[in-house]
Amino acid sequence: MTNPNLLLKHFSGNIEAPGAVSRLRQLILNLAVRGKLVDQNPDDEPASEFLLRIDAEKTQRAIKYSRTAAPSLPIAKQGMDYELPSGWQWVRMAEIAKLWNGFAFGSGDFTSDGIPVVRIGDLQNGAVVLDNAVCVSEKIANALKPEIWIPPDALLIAMSGATTGKVAFNFTGRRLLLNQRVGRIELFLVNAKFIKLFFETIIARNLSISSGTAIPNLSTEQINNTIVPLAPLAEQHRIVSKVDELMKLCERLEAAQAERENQRDRLVSASLQRLSKPADEKAFCNAARFCIRHFDRLTTHPEHIQQLKKTILDLAIRGRLVRQESTDEPAEKILLRIQDEKLNLLRKGIIKKNDFAQRSPSESEFPFRLPEGWMPANLQALCQSIADGDHLPPPKADAGIPFLVIGNVRNEKIDFSGCRHVLEEYYNNLNPIRRPRKGDVLYTLVGSYGIPVLVEDNQQFCVQRHIGILRPSNEINSTFLYWILGSRWVFDQASKRATGIAQKTVPLEGLRNILIPLPPIAEQNRIVTRVNELITLCHQIELQLSISQSEKSRLFDSLLHNALLPYVNLNNLKNERAV
């Protein structure tokens, strides 16, 4: 049989596996109801004799549903195909309990004070929680049958909805009322906590819950016919005590894991922040050396990789990712050539006057010092045009030109699967600046705003008005602009400019005025090369983390089987391992 100290010894060092503690809890429960958690005592009254005492109790209380009247379906057909220990017995819930259904209160019965009514949502984490409970008046409550009242310590079960099959105790110390689709399980002599353990196992939920309808539900007949492994009463008490002990151990493991995660997250955040915003060059070098020395500790979770990506872009936008070269043509000359380029487009009628920058920002508007040769600029100054999709609803077509919505712009890529289409005639009539082409950058403007995606080929498509289309100047490296638009610096500016409450929207005017630190074109190219290398490395680390997590999960499964399941047929655990 298992031992808490043995559990701690085996699993405290392997608790990093995904969902390790919750899986450990579930297996403890499943072992408990199989009789594999505590020693059997031959002096215990066997379940067969215990059932005779239960029958006598029901007879004394005039309970008509007797053990002999229970259905006699073969146990094997119910999926209970494992062997019970000596002294245990298979029974149906109807043999050991009486189920009382709740009352169908009308919405007009509820008040803000009075007698609380327990609804399905009030069954939380094994207990009744009255934080959001509704009440009925004492007049209504006193007119109800006694079985609708919930005594203290009563065991309840949700019979419908997303939490179907979950059980909870009334630990409130108050008498409450039972609402419709909440059942009260009145047990005869059986330890209620032992039965609760059973209903918390995957075994019970797989066997009892009906999923044939849109909303899972349990009928009275299903609960009555649910097959339960009944232990001798003395062993029930020992099992409950042991499970309580092991669950406290799980809580300690979980708390220790959470503390390690918090410490690691704080280390990652502090380290990357020091790298992103150093006070001086010496501080930057020290922060960089620390990150390199402890790289493995800073990239242990996918969230850390995302933070690392953002830090890489933060360094790029501050000119700290590659060396500056004094021979590079300064960015000031780039801006002059862009102005000439846009004047030519204006004469051709391709763009309008509002595509020109309205003002030139100063370097003092940046919270960091721009490197030598860089220039402050508005996003509008770096683009031939910044537009969005057509504001009129496009005519739908079964085939033709893809029409993308925000849902098609995700995961740093354009996803054409399941997209809508428009007629080619509609597409051809759009202004050229509203027809994305290779080298453009899409930028989501509504809801999930701030997501840039680089257009990497010449496939024809158009977009809804919730997506911005940024066409970089020929003097700007479009991949550089794409990476910069994904930085925290740009996202924070977009957030400040976003309007609305329920659904935030970044207006085009706000997008055009976002501040961008512009490096020389030669340095833009070097930055793109370095960022591409580092982001590729981040993707490789993400893949390695995924593989590592899978290996940890397999190792954890092996440890569970070796330490917890020495006497259990592993073929019977296929359902439990899906927790």
Side-chain angles (χ1 to χ4, degrees):
M1 297 303 168
T2 57
N3 178 287
N5 295 325
L6 180 63
L7 281 172
L8 186 59
K9 177 182 176 181
H10 276 279
F11 302 117
S12 60
N14 298 278
I15 211 68
E16 302 293 340
V21 177
S22 62
R23 289 153 67 193
L24 179 57
R25 284 192 177 103
Q26 190 57 234
L27 281 171
I28 289 171
L29 294 175
N30 291 337
L31 288 173
V33 299
R34 283 178 164 88
K36 304 299 181 182
L37 205 60
V38 299
D39 293 325
Q40 276 78 47
N41 187 337
D43 295 331
D44 288 344
E45 174 193 50
S48 57
E49 295 182 13
F50 180 42
L51 283 170
L52 295 177
R53 289 202 294 120
I54 289 175
D55 278 348
E57 172 75 10
K58 290 194 296 185
T59 300
Q60 183 178 352
R61 296 172 56 180
I63 303 297
K64 296 180 179 179
Y65 203 168
S66 68
R67 181 162 62 92
T68 55
S72 56
L73 295 176
I75 295 293
K77 291 184 178 180
Q78 296 289 317
M80 299 296 198
D81 53 353
Y82 58 88
E83 185 177 348
L84 291 180
S86 176
W88 288 49
Q89 186 162 327
W90 294 111
V91 298
R92 300 180 190 278
M93 280 296 294
E95 300 178 60
I96 61 173
K98 173 69 176 177
L99 179 70
W100 302 101
N101 283 309
F103 182 74
F105 291 98
S107 57
D109 295 332
F110 295 134
T111 60
S112 58
D113 54 17
I115 309 299
V117 176
V118 176
R119 298 171 297 175
I120 290 175
D122 299 324
L123 308 184
Q124 301 177 23
N125 300 320
V128 173
V129 178
L130 299 179
D131 292 348
N132 298 306
V134 296
C135 302
V136 296
S137 67
E138 291 193 16
K139 180 179 179 181
I140 292 178
N142 292 332
L144 297 173
K145 295 180 179 179
E147 55 263 29
I148 304 302
W149 288 86
I150 306 171
D153 298 327
L155 181 63
L156 309 179
I157 183 167
M159 300 177 66
S160 183
T163 59
T164 298
K166 289 196 174 181
V167 286
F169 279 110
N170 174 22
F171 291 137
T172 65
R174 304 171 59 180
R175 293 183 70 213
L176 310 173
L177 293 172
L178 203 61
N179 195 40
Q180 187 180 31
R181 306 309 300 158
V182 179
R184 175 167 66 87
I185 301 175
E186 182 183 357
L187 290 157
F188 306 113
L189 305 181
V190 178
N191 187 314
K193 290 184 178 180
F194 175 79
I195 297 301
K196 179 176 178 289
L197 296 180
F198 171 75
F199 273 100
E200 289 175 337
T201 63
I202 295 297
I203 305 169
R205 291 181 62 77
N206 284 347
L207 292 175
S208 301
I209 299 174
S210 169
S211 304
T213 58
I215 301 177
N217 64 85
L218 278 169
S219 66
T220 300
E221 183 180 7
Q222 281 177 295
I223 295 177
N224 283 334
N225 287 336
T226 297
I227 297 170
V228 179
L230 186 67
L233 183 58
E235 189 172 346
Q236 293 176 35
H237 296 316
R238 293 198 299 275
I239 289 171
V240 167
S241 178
K242 179 63 71 174
V243 169
D244 286 344
E245 184 181 1
L246 293 175
M247 291 304 171
K248 288 178 182 177
L249 179 144
C250 288
E251 290 175 5
R252 294 200 302 273
L253 290 175
E254 200 166 43
Q257 181 186 28
E259 179 57 27
R260 286 195 299 273
E261 293 287 342
N262 289 335
Q263 290 179 354
R264 188 157 43 210
D265 289 345
R266 289 195 296 268
L267 173 66
V268 171
S269 297
S271 301
L272 295 182
Q273 187 174 25
R274 285 196 298 269
L275 188 62
S276 297
K277 301 177 181 179
D280 51 40
E281 193 64 27
K282 181 179 179 181
F284 172 76
C285 292
N286 289 336
R289 278 194 291 268
F290 180 87
C291 288
I292 292 171
R293 190 179 302 118
H294 301 286
F295 190 74
D296 56 335
R297 296 179 63 190
L298 299 179
T299 54
T300 57
H301 289 284
E303 310 85 64
H304 299 159
I305 303 299
Q306 296 306 314
Q307 292 181 51
L308 182 59
K309 288 180 181 178
K310 293 298 182 183
T311 300
I312 290 169
L313 299 183
D314 286 344
L315 294 173
I317 207 169
R318 286 169 168 77
R320 290 187 171 274
L321 206 57
V322 299
R323 290 183 179 275
Q324 278 79 48
E325 299 290 345
S326 59
T327 56
D328 289 343
E329 178 188 57
E332 184 178 10
K333 293 187 177 181
I334 296 177
L335 292 175
L336 293 175
R337 287 200 298 272
I338 292 176
Q339 287 292 93
D340 292 339
E341 177 187 2
K342 294 175 79 169
L343 282 172
N344 185 43
L345 294 172
L346 180 63
R347 295 189 192 102
K348 294 179 179 180
I350 296 176
I351 64 173
K352 298 179 181 179
K353 285 186 177 180
N354 63 0
D355 287 309
F356 284 81
Q358 300 299 315
R359 69 179 185 86
S360 298
S362 68
E363 190 170 338
S364 62
E365 296 179 58
F366 291 81
F368 49 88
R369 183 178 178 182
L370 299 187
E372 191 72 25
W374 291 43
M375 282 291 292
N378 291 331
L379 187 56
Q380 183 172 255
L382 310 184
C383 298
Q384 292 182 2
S385 62
I386 296 179
D388 55 9
D390 193 2
H391 286 219
L392 296 176
K396 296 180 181 180
D398 294 332
I401 304 298
F403 178 84
L404 304 186
V405 298
I406 282 185
N408 299 113
V409 180
R410 55 192 171 192
N411 299 327
E412 303 174 0
K413 296 290 182 182
I414 297 173
D415 182 6
F416 288 97
S417 61
C419 71
R420 295 160 54 185
H421 292 83
V422 295
L423 296 173
E424 189 172 356
E425 180 183 5
Y426 167 84
Y427 172 81
N428 291 332
N429 287 331
L430 290 173
N431 187 307
I433 65 175
R434 283 188 163 140
R435 299 199 298 254
R437 68 188 189 191
K438 184 178 180 180
D440 287 354
V441 181
L442 306 183
Y443 193 82
T444 58
L445 301 172
V446 179
S448 300
Y449 65 85
I451 302 173
V453 174
L454 182 64
V455 181
E456 299 182 282
D457 56 46
N458 287 313
Q459 178 174 347
Q460 291 182 330
F461 68 93
C462 51
V463 299
Q464 69 173 165
R465 63 187 180 90
H466 295 161
I467 300 175
I469 307 167
L470 286 73
R471 182 155 298 162
S473 163
N474 294 327
E475 300 290 333
I476 300 296
N477 186 314
S478 58
T479 306
F480 168 80
L481 185 64
Y482 159 68
W483 285 127
I484 296 307
L485 286 171
S487 68
R488 279 182 288 223
W489 164 250
V490 170
F491 182 80
D492 289 345
Q493 291 185 75
S495 297
K496 291 177 181 178
R497 289 169 166 80
T499 60
I501 298 176
Q503 193 174 49
K504 292 286 187 179
T505 299
V506 180
L508 282 183
E509 191 61 26
L511 183 63
R512 292 184 178 114
N513 285 309
I514 282 178
L515 299 177
I516 300 292
L518 179 66
I521 185 64
E523 189 169 349
Q524 291 179 38
N525 297 335
R526 293 196 298 272
I527 289 172
V528 166
T529 299
R530 180 59 58 84
V531 170
N532 286 342
E533 291 172 350
L534 293 175
I535 297 299
T536 299
L537 177 61
C538 287
H539 291 159
Q540 292 172 351
I541 296 172
E542 283 182 307
L543 178 60
Q544 291 171 0
L545 279 178
S546 176
I547 294 172
S548 174
Q549 293 288 359
S550 297
E551 290 176 347
K552 286 180 180 178
S553 183
R554 286 195 294 269
L555 174 61
F556 189 76
D557 281 344
S558 176
L559 288 170
L560 285 175
H561 295 163
N562 291 336
L564 281 177
L565 312 179
Y567 306 110
V568 178
N569 181 352
L570 299 185
N571 293 327
N572 294 325
L573 295 177
K574 54 183 180 296
N575 289 332
E576 290 90 310
R577 294 186 63 187
V579 289

